[in-house]
Amino acid sequence: MGEPLVVMKDVNKHFGDLHVLRDINLEVASGEVVIVIGPSGSGKSTLCRTINRLETFESGSITIDGDPLPLEGKSLARLRADVGMVFQSFNLFAHKTILENVTLGPIKVRKEKKADAERHAMELLERVGVALQADKYPAQLSGGQQQRVAIARSLAMRPKVMLFDEPTSALDPEMINEVLDVMVQLAKEGMTMVVVTHEMGFARKAANRVVFMADGQIVEQAPPSDFFTNPQSDRAKDFLGKILTH
Amino acid sequence: MGDILSNYDILGAFWMTIKLSVLGTVGALVLGTVLAVMRVSPVTTLRAIGTSYVNVFRNTPLTLLMVASILGMTYILGMSLSDDQQTNIFRWAVIVLSVYHAAFICEAVRSGFNTVPVGQAEAARSIGLSFGQSLTQVILPQAVRGSIAPVGSTIIALIKNSTVASVIGVSDAAGMMATIVENETGTFGVFLIFAVGFVILTLPLGMAFTAMSRRLAVRR
Ligand SMILES: Nc1ncnc2c1ncn2[C@@H]1O[C@H](COP(=O)(O)OP(=O)(O)OP(=O)(O)O)[C@@H](O)[C@H]1O
Ligand SMILES: [Mg+2]
């Protein structure tokens, strides 16, 4: 693997008095799949969201494919187009059809022709298994289908890296696998991914590395097999003890 | 009664009311939407301007604004919008109706903004849409759909409030009614004619807005 695609260096962030990110140093290589886990409130979502600057940070630096995160405006928008983001609550555009959800970015940001964007969008919807729903509105789809559309919407921008913030935790249990299957497939095809999730199955199947966070710090990182069987820190042991019992 | 209908151009007067209302509505919608965007913008000064505007115009009597436009703007400051006196008055009336109701449209559209979850804006930004694109492609369309019902109420209020234009001499329905009441005897029926006239203007509109807000509602 070459030059790291995402580099976070000494990143610090506060929400008021709360120090949510403490000296975060993280590198994600091209093609790598990194899982972020940790207790609630440890800063996983915030870490994910600073990478495409949905959250600002006070000190340190973040670069994507060698380019530092711009502060504002056009260049920030351009960078965000290269960084896909999949949210816990899907956030599909409620007033647009499934197809329009997927073509909006390519047409408005990448300036693709409508016909080309639609052809590509249909391919992607086919791939995630919701092509038949193309003309429906988000509210007419199940959660699992909506989340797969959200993944297709991100993919339509041909991103360099994709961020997932607990993509399956708002889903009914029977829909979790249909979303995870799509993500495993993506990982196999070499997509660079940062995934906040507590799905151990996915971590074992697709991840190259697990990053464990607690209290705004990265406490430990290791390949999934090592981390789950032989965690080093007490915080991680404690945390795994809690989530693996049920 | 028949005399009244044949001696006075009541339809013409209502036509004037319609012209005032339509132009006033267009102005109020445009200005009100701009103000609403200012009120939700991240720029502090824009927000402050929007808030002050709403506070000032929502709390000033319309009659006062109407009179001030002619007495203040035209007679004292000499700002005439047409050499023809009647046209000048009509234009000022349209401006005053727009400016006054824009404050209410602003609040209606702003309530529409509040129906749009933050996640929609975050998703828009995260696919690389600029601030303006997020606004026009994602936020505004949903905000507008969420504000159809209160915007409808404001437009109906505007139609009825357009009668205030008669105080500066616009010959609209209300002006005509005042004239007839002054010149004729036994005019109780006249009130009825004008009341029915306004119901004909506003009732279908109210129903249309209710139907539209149902049909265009953003399902989440
Ligand atoms: N916009 C905000 N304003 C103030 N505090 C915030 C904000 N967003 C998050 N926080 C706080 O920052 C801390 C970290 O939040 P974050 O959402 O990153 O945690 P998390 O690890 O994703 O938790 P969870 O597993 O519950 O999703 C929490 O204490 C949270 O309450
Ligand atoms: Mg979170």
Side-chain angles (χ1 to χ4, degrees):
Chain A
M1 291 182 193
E3 182 88 339
L5 197 52
V6 180
V7 180
M8 300 180 80
K9 226 185 200 142
D10 301 322
V11 172
N12 279 282
K13 172 174 182 67
H14 291 78
F15 279 122
D17 290 338
L18 187 69
H19 200 165
V20 269
L21 295 181
R22 300 167 188 253
D23 296 318
I24 298 290
N25 285 287
L26 180 69
E27 295 191 352
V28 182
S30 181
E32 198 181 10
V33 177
V34 172
I35 302 292
V36 182
I37 70 171
S40 182
S42 55
K44 308 179 296 293
S45 297
T46 310
L47 176 121
C48 217
R49 291 160 57 86
T50 48
I51 295 177
N52 70 351
R53 220 171 208 291
L54 282 180
E55 298 288 353
T56 56
F57 52 94
E58 289 110 35
S59 64
S61 69
I62 300 180
T63 59
I64 307 283
D65 206 7
D67 295 326
L69 271 190
L71 288 185
E72 301 287 335
K74 284 240 159 25
S75 45
L76 178 58
R78 205 175 309 125
L79 180 131
R80 281 195 182 125
D82 289 338
V83 180
M85 174 115 193
V86 174
F87 302 85
Q88 183 175 346
S89 48
F90 330 133
N91 295 348
L92 293 181
F93 304 129
H95 64 305
K96 291 195 178 287
T97 65
I98 298 308
L99 184 64
E100 289 165 347
N101 262 274
V102 182
T103 55
L104 182 65
I107 292 172
K108 293 291 167 188
V109 179
R110 300 277 193 232
K111 310 291 178 204
E112 284 178 29
K113 287 206 195 74
K114 188 161 178 252
D116 294 342
E118 286 182 347
R119 195 166 343 101
H120 186 212
M122 286 311 296
E123 277 169 28
L124 291 169
L125 289 173
E126 197 80 54
R127 214 166 113 190
V128 300
V130 282
L132 290 177
Q133 326 290 332
D135 294 325
K136 292 191 180 164
Y137 285 87
Q140 295 170 285
L141 270 58
S142 73
Q145 290 174 324
Q146 289 191 51
Q147 194 60 299
R148 285 181 282 149
V149 173
I151 293 173
R153 175 175 68 180
S154 283
L155 286 174
M157 301 302 291
R158 307 175 205 271
K160 293 175 179 165
V161 49
M162 285 181 72
L163 313 171
F164 295 78
D165 188 4
E166 305 209 30
T168 57
S169 55
L171 296 177
D172 293 337
E174 73 270 20
M175 294 171 183
I176 291 179
N177 279 328
E178 63 189 47
V179 172
L180 290 180
D181 288 348
V182 169
M183 292 171 58
V184 169
Q185 193 56 37
L186 269 181
K188 283 203 183 118
E189 288 163 13
M191 175 59 73
T192 310
M193 295 161 72
V194 176
V195 186
V196 179
T197 184
H198 290 158
E199 293 293 336
M200 300 304 149
F202 174 76
R204 288 216 168 87
K205 240 186 271 179
N208 301 106
R209 181 160 42 122
V210 174
V211 168
F212 176 71
M213 280 186 83
D215 296 329
Q217 278 173 312
I218 293 180
V219 177
E220 176 169 352
Q221 20 185 335
S225 50
D226 296 357
F227 180 79
F228 291 122
T229 53
N230 188 20
Q232 300 298 305
S233 63
D234 290 342
R235 295 287 321 244
K237 283 178 197 162
D238 185 46
F239 176 75
L240 286 175
K242 276 181 195 140
I243 61 164
L244 293 181
T245 49
H246 48 89
Chain B
M1 203 69 206
D3 286 353
I4 292 176
L5 287 178
S6 54
N7 289 346
Y8 297 92
D9 185 11
I10 294 180
L11 280 184
F14 268 107
W15 175 236
M16 180 57 90
T17 293
I18 291 172
K19 280 197 290 184
L20 275 178
S21 301
V22 169
L23 294 176
T25 298
V26 171
L29 284 177
V30 171
L31 185 56
T33 307
V34 171
L35 285 165
V37 169
M38 287 168 74
R39 287 205 71 175
V40 299
S41 86
V43 185
T44 322
T45 27
L46 288 184
R47 275 205 309 274
I49 294 172
T51 310
S52 323
Y53 183 100
V54 168
N55 284 333
V56 168
F57 287 103
R58 214 168 42 165
N59 295 305
T60 311
L62 179 58
T63 316
L64 193 150
L65 291 174
M66 208 50 99
V67 173
S69 72
I70 294 304
L71 282 187
M73 304 306 265
T74 301
Y75 292 156
I76 299 176
L77 297 179
M79 279 177 63
S80 188
L81 300 175
S82 167
D83 291 338
D84 176 50
Q85 172 67 354
Q86 239 4 80
T87 314
N88 176 49
I89 289 176
F90 173 77
R91 288 182 180 167
W92 273 114
V94 167
I95 289 176
V96 170
L97 285 173
S98 300
V99 161
Y100 176 78
H101 290 92
F104 295 86
I105 295 284
C106 166
E107 292 305 276
V109 174
R110 199 164 69 102
S111 76
F113 273 106
N114 292 334
T115 66
V116 185
V118 269
Q120 296 286 308
E122 291 189 341
R125 282 188 287 157
S126 75
I127 58 169
L129 295 181
S130 67
F131 177 78
Q133 287 174 325
S134 303
L135 196 66
T136 55
Q137 299 295 319
V138 177
I139 312 300
L140 257 182
Q142 294 187 42
V144 166
R145 286 160 195 238
S147 59
I148 288 174
V151 164
S153 308
T154 307
I155 292 174
I156 288 171
L158 184 148
I159 294 174
K160 294 186 289 178
N161 290 342
S162 72
T163 52
V164 172
S166 64
V167 303
I168 56 169
V170 178
S171 15
D172 71 332
M176 174 67 77
M177 189 176 77
T179 313
I180 298 176
V181 169
E182 205 169 294
N183 297 345
E184 308 284 333
T185 52
T187 49
F188 189 74
V190 174
F191 290 116
L192 212 61
I193 294 175
F194 284 95
V196 169
F198 274 96
V199 170
I200 291 173
L201 288 185
T202 54
L203 194 67
L205 205 61
M207 293 191 316
F209 273 110
T210 308
M212 207 156 76
S213 89
R214 285 220 191 93
R215 207 168 60 79
L216 292 179
V218 182
R219 274 173 298 163
R220 305 199 184 274

